[in-house]
Amino acid sequence: MQAVVLAAGQGTRIRPLSESMPKPMLPVADRPLVAHTVDAAIDAGADEIVLVVGYEGETVRDYFGTEYRGVPVTYAEQHEQAGTADAVETASDRLDGPFAVLNGDNLYDPAAIERLFDACPAVCAVEVPDPSNYGVLSTADGTVTDIVEKPADPPTNLANAGAYAFPERAAEWLDVPASERGEHEITDVLATVVGRFAVTPITLDRWLDVGRPWELLEANEWKLADLDRRIDGEVSDAAHLEGNVVVESGATIEPGVLVEGPALIRSGASVGPNAYVRGATLIDRNASVGNGVEVKNSVLSPGAAVNHLSYVGDSVLGRDVNFGAGTTVANLRHDDGDVRFTVKGDRVSTDRRKFGVVAGDGVKTGINTSLTPGLKLSTGATTHPGEVVDRDR
Ligand code: TTP
């Protein structure tokens, strides 16, 4: 089966992390977010991957090339983000037979994708407490009978999880009218398929839609926990690595370091001396964590540096961020409330008691900067020495 993977989005809700990198290429454990989906499709037997790219599409093309894990990869360019059905339609000239459609920014359990392919026509669904923000599926006798987008009064708790195995004829039904929000939606294609075929719902135990920065942390929590312990880098005898820790070849762990897994220290990265890394933490290529630094449940993108006497908790640091000595991140509110974060101008709850900061690429903090919970620092932002920063900048 061909697998069409949607990766053309602008990722506006995850800014500033998507300012120079498309969201599907943001790091999740040892590979980009979208590679987890592509790998799941290949493991499930996909014989061709068709990637729909658009925003910063070159980065996606550079990563996958024309063949990935022995499977041919082709690309369709979506020039305007006109909706998920429109995205698949840009790839329709190369569709030949039944095809799958997967969101490039969703994490699936790989076994579920295999079940999806085997059950074609089929759609993945996940039970959620309040599905009113999703497409909601109704089912009877083991097949899907209806799908409604974001209903005020959901008929079931089964949310559409954005993974479909379509019969060949669905390629003829991709040209759907724009929805109320002005997009050509794949759920309208699914509605047509549901009217003509018996579509099997595949219920997922676990699923994650990565739309906002803290969901990137959650994606890393999931996939870092799945890695098997492997120590290939240079680790001092005076360092302790506990639990599920991966140190890639070319990474260095200095004396006095304690790493409590799950954690991944990638090639070219260095940790220590005397540093403490804990929780689900990714220290990506060429990032560095120096003397007297504690990093907890965070993502340090390639080239990020926190080199002296600092604390970073529940945070995402973009590429080449530099935190000056003594920079401290607060990740907990005194009233114990959920940390809030600004998404497209609105202050929204992260539903997390602990969340630190999101620093765009190239952010530099002055020494002894204090950063408050839920803070967003845009690409290239700077702070003065000794500043308490409690407003996004
Ligand atoms: P969304 O998450 O709805 O869009 P986005 O990724 O651009 O993020 P944001 O809302 O923060 O701006 O898209 C779901 C998936 O479909 C995602 O993988 C991107 C992809 N997509 C396209 O490829 N083309 C499109 O026209 C749309 C709307 C989405």
Side-chain angles (χ1 to χ4, degrees):
M1 172 150 23
Q2 290 168 297
V4 180
V5 179
L6 307 185
Q10 290 196 31
T12 51
R13 289 165 300 150
I14 208 162
R15 284 179 189 157
L17 301 171
S18 56
E19 262 161 23
S20 60
M21 178 70 71
K23 180 174 63 177
M25 292 302 291
L26 292 173
V28 174
D30 59 351
R31 63 199 90 161
L33 171 59
V34 63
H36 292 277
T37 304
V38 171
D39 283 331
I42 291 173
D43 292 342
D47 51 19
E48 183 185 344
I49 302 294
V50 184
L51 276 157
V52 180
V53 295
Y55 175 72
E56 299 285 348
E58 275 310 303
T59 328
V60 183
R61 289 174 192 265
D62 287 349
Y63 185 83
F64 290 100
T66 54
E67 194 181 289
Y68 176 79
R69 291 182 50 202
V71 173
V73 181
T74 56
Y75 298 88
E77 185 92 25
Q78 189 193 22
H79 295 287
E80 193 195 333
Q81 226 188 318
T84 44
D86 179 77
V88 181
E89 209 182 3
T90 60
S92 58
D93 58 337
R94 57 206 78 180
L95 294 177
D96 177 22
F99 60 99
V101 176
L102 304 168
N103 278 347
D105 60 354
N106 285 190
L107 281 187
Y108 306 97
D109 170 6
I113 299 301
E114 200 168 331
R115 283 192 285 138
L116 174 78
F117 284 19
D118 289 346
C120 180
V123 55
C124 285
V126 64
E127 278 195 43
V128 294
D130 175 14
S132 55
N133 255 330
Y134 297 90
V136 179
L137 303 173
S138 299
T139 61
D141 301 329
T143 59
V144 179
T145 51
D146 198 13
I147 172 154
V148 264
E149 249 335 289
K150 302 189 175 63
D153 188 14
T156 69
N157 282 349
L158 271 188
N160 172 19
Y164 315 85
F166 284 127
E168 181 171 8
R169 281 205 60 201
E172 296 166 26
W173 303 326
L174 295 171
D175 187 11
V176 290
S179 64
E180 266 177 27
R181 59 172 179 171
E183 289 186 8
H184 303 270
E185 322 248 9
I186 195 76
T187 43
D188 288 332
V189 181
L190 177 66
T192 310
V193 176
V194 162
R196 290 170 168 76
F197 288 83
V199 175
T200 305
I202 304 292
T203 311
L204 307 181
D205 294 331
R206 200 167 181 190
W207 170 72
L208 183 63
D209 181 12
V210 179
R212 300 162 301 179
W214 58 94
E215 287 153 351
L216 187 69
L217 274 190
E218 285 159 19
N220 275 281
E221 284 162 14
W222 177 349
K223 294 296 170 181
L224 287 169
D226 283 352
L227 295 177
D228 292 325
R229 184 180 166 97
R230 180 165 52 86
I231 311 297
D232 292 334
E234 248 180 74
V235 179
S236 159
D237 290 342
H240 296 277
L241 310 181
E242 291 178 1
N244 216 2
V245 176
V246 175
V247 181
E248 289 185 350
S249 161
T252 315
I253 310 288
E254 306 273 357
V257 169
L258 173 60
V259 182
E260 291 170 355
L264 167 60
I265 325 288
R266 301 215 64 186
S267 178
S270 65
V271 181
N274 305 319
Y276 183 21
V277 175
R278 64 192 173 98
T281 289
L282 166 63
I283 299 177
D284 214 328
R285 292 201 171 101
N286 304 314
S288 65
V289 171
N291 181 46
V293 174
E294 178 175 350
V295 181
K296 178 232 161 189
N297 192 227
S298 293
V299 170
L300 270 61
S301 299
V306 186
N307 282 334
H308 320 274
L309 306 165
S310 292
Y311 175 68
V312 177
D314 304 281
S315 296
V316 182
L317 274 51
R319 300 168 86 89
D320 301 318
V321 162
N322 194 303
F323 275 7
T327 296
T328 302
V329 171
N331 58 345
L332 178 69
R333 293 165 54 117
H334 277 175
D335 64 4
D336 244 5
D338 289 340
V339 175
R340 296 165 79 76
F341 190 83
T342 308
V343 176
K344 294 178 86 171
D346 290 329
R347 206 73 187 147
V348 300
S349 171
T350 60
D351 289 323
R352 292 174 71 102
R353 226 179 112 248
K354 294 206 172 162
F355 189 59
V357 303
V358 176
D361 295 352
V363 162
K364 287 187 171 58
T365 62
I367 57 160
N368 293 327
T369 294
S370 299
L371 304 169
T372 53
L375 193 74
K376 174 160 48 178
L377 298 170
S378 53
T379 304
T382 57
T383 71
H384 290 297
E387 244 192 292
V388 176
V389 184
D390 60 1
R391 292 275 180 278
D392 292 353
R393 62 173 61 172

